[in-house]
Amino acid sequence: MQEYMLDPLDERIIHALQIEGRAPWSELAPVIGVDAVTLARRWEQLRERGLAWVTGIFPGGATALVDITCMPQHTGQVARELTRIPAIMTLDHTSGGRDLLATVLGDNPLAIWDVVTNQIGALDGVRNTQTHLVTELIMEASDWRLRALTPGEASRVGKPKPPRARAPRTVHPDVEAALRHCLMEDGRRPVSRIAAEHGLSEQRVSDGLARLRSDGRLRIRTDVARTVTGWPVYAWYFVRTAAKHIQQMRGLMAQIPEARTALAVASQYNLVVAVWLREMTDVMRFEAALEAAVPSARIVDRSVVFRMSKHLGHPIDEEGRATLGFVHPFSP
């Protein structure tokens, strides 16, 4: 991935979209200092190269991290087959006590069990699985920022518009299904295109979009290929800590620029943390800093990610880019 690195304009665009992923280019132009046409063209280049993408996240249901160990000669084939399973949103190739680490979504814990048992466990080459059911989201990766804008510039990025006064209080299932189908693949897809693709009026789609966001039932998340950022090392930490300190982690994680995800889980661990780091030596430094900040915390295992095979439904190529299409977890 050395042939392309983000330039300052790329970073400013991505940071702005991390704040508000559906912000119109006309509103971002005065913040970033570049005209709207140039911003739209540059974003399309980033998206086509698989270097950045916007995803609609619909919270709810159950989530689990699943450790997967494989027969060494079958790991690659297992990963390719796992990538095609819709319920698997993210798949990492890792060191440590697992060969692969999958994020699995389901309507409920039983649905997670079904995927782990009857889809993942049934694959040839899978030796063992271990499931860490997520009980609470302490920090979500959509809160992570590239930090290319100044604080003043970041504060000028507009927030989502609230529902209009005459908008329906509830979202019709057909409208929600259309939004799920379109926005999970491309969180910036225009309302006009969603309406045309699903035979709906633009007003109904616009009202439904605003209502879901206002109610917290839809989040818009912008991601960037780690390989073109200044944080090339990606690591997971599996932690045991006193239950009373779990909530303390919320404030701590918010103060650590490298932290991306923190999850309370039900397994032999009770906390799992993911970070992006600048150097391999930072893996142990972060571990020492975490244990110093939370004296009861004991890092039981850690894994460095060699590469990703899938991220939020997007298969990832060997250079870390989202260039291989989309595996949709939801069909209307």
Side-chain angles (χ1 to χ4, degrees), residues 7 9-10 13 37-46:
D7 69 18
L9 178 56
D10 293 332
I13 292 171
V37 173
T38 299
L39 294 179
R41 184 178 66 249
R42 184 64 73 95
W43 170 252
E44 193 57 30
Q45 291 172 351
L46 288 169

Side-chain angles (χ1 to χ4, degrees), residues 160-233:
K161 291 182 173 57
R164 64 192 179 98
R166 297 178 60 187
R169 294 289 180 180
T170 60
V171 181
H172 192 279
D174 288 349
V175 174
E176 182 169 350
L179 290 167
R180 281 178 177 268
H181 188 261
C182 292
L183 297 181
M184 292 182 82
E185 181 175 1
D186 177 11
R188 283 189 64 84
R189 188 165 297 179
V191 164
S192 58
R193 184 175 165 191
I194 298 172
E197 288 177 353
H198 291 267
L200 300 167
S201 73
E202 292 187 23
Q203 189 64 68
R204 289 184 70 197
V205 173
S206 180
D207 285 344
L209 175 60
R211 181 64 66 191
L212 288 175
R213 297 194 73 181
S214 175
D215 292 348
R217 295 163 57 198
L218 166 62
R219 297 197 306 271
I220 302 297
R221 168 173 166 172
T222 300
D223 283 282
V224 57
R226 177 179 47 83
T227 48
V228 295
T229 70
W231 290 270
V233 180

